[in-house]
Amino acid sequence: MKMTVMIDTNVIISAALNPKGSASLAMIKALSPPFQPVVCDYIIDELHRKFEEKFPHRITQLEAFLYHALLFIEIIPTPESEYFAEGKIRDVKDRPILRAALAKHVDYLLTGDKDFLESDILTPQMISPSDFLKK
């Protein structure tokens, strides 16, 4: 049975910058059966914004990482219309990610973001890279 895993921005950034860290290992696991990895177009845009802002000297590294990773990761659209559950996420900038995860009916949202991890949202299951590696 396939399980869909949405990979959050912070996990991708950590994996791109630290290929031997837990975020990278969790991404590798998410790329392997029975998991089906996805990201939404909002995450791709956010990745570029964050790298421009915080790591402008490493844009090439991000592009190389995405070039390879996106061969295996499905990019899904971020819906315009909001879901009621979005109100459970404090940071409004994270809400489009949850919206896309809900629209796609993903099983897991792989994230290091406390706004997701500390929310009381049950579906999708919010999971940190270290907990995902233990599954």
Side-chain angles (χ1 to χ4, degrees), residues 21-124:
S22 63
S24 184
L25 296 174
M27 266 193 75
I28 290 168
K29 182 174 182 173
L31 292 167
S32 306
F35 301 106
Q36 172 59 51
V38 300
V39 295
C40 60
D41 50 11
Y42 180 88
I43 288 174
I44 300 297
D45 293 342
E46 189 175 51
L47 279 169
H48 287 100
R49 280 194 311 273
K50 295 278 186 190
F51 262 76
E52 291 281 342
E53 177 186 314
K54 297 181 178 186
F55 314 105
H57 59 288
R58 297 181 89 171
I59 297 284
T60 306
Q61 188 175 350
L62 171 68
E63 293 301 335
F65 181 84
L66 288 176
Y67 176 80
H68 294 289
L70 293 179
L71 294 172
F72 305 99
I73 300 172
E74 178 186 358
I75 300 174
I76 61 171
T78 305
E80 297 273 332
S81 49
E82 296 179 9
Y83 284 77
F84 177 76
E86 289 180 46
K88 295 180 178 183
I89 300 297
R90 290 183 301 247
D91 187 348
V92 295
K93 293 178 189 167
D94 289 334
R95 292 178 182 179
I97 295 168
L98 178 60
R99 186 179 315 146
L102 291 168
K104 180 69 175 175
H105 303 288
V106 303
D107 298 293
Y108 298 102
L109 178 56
L110 181 59
T111 184
D113 188 327
K114 288 190 187 308
D115 280 340
F116 286 125
L117 294 171
E118 294 174 357
S119 72
D120 61 352
I121 296 170
L122 301 177
T123 305

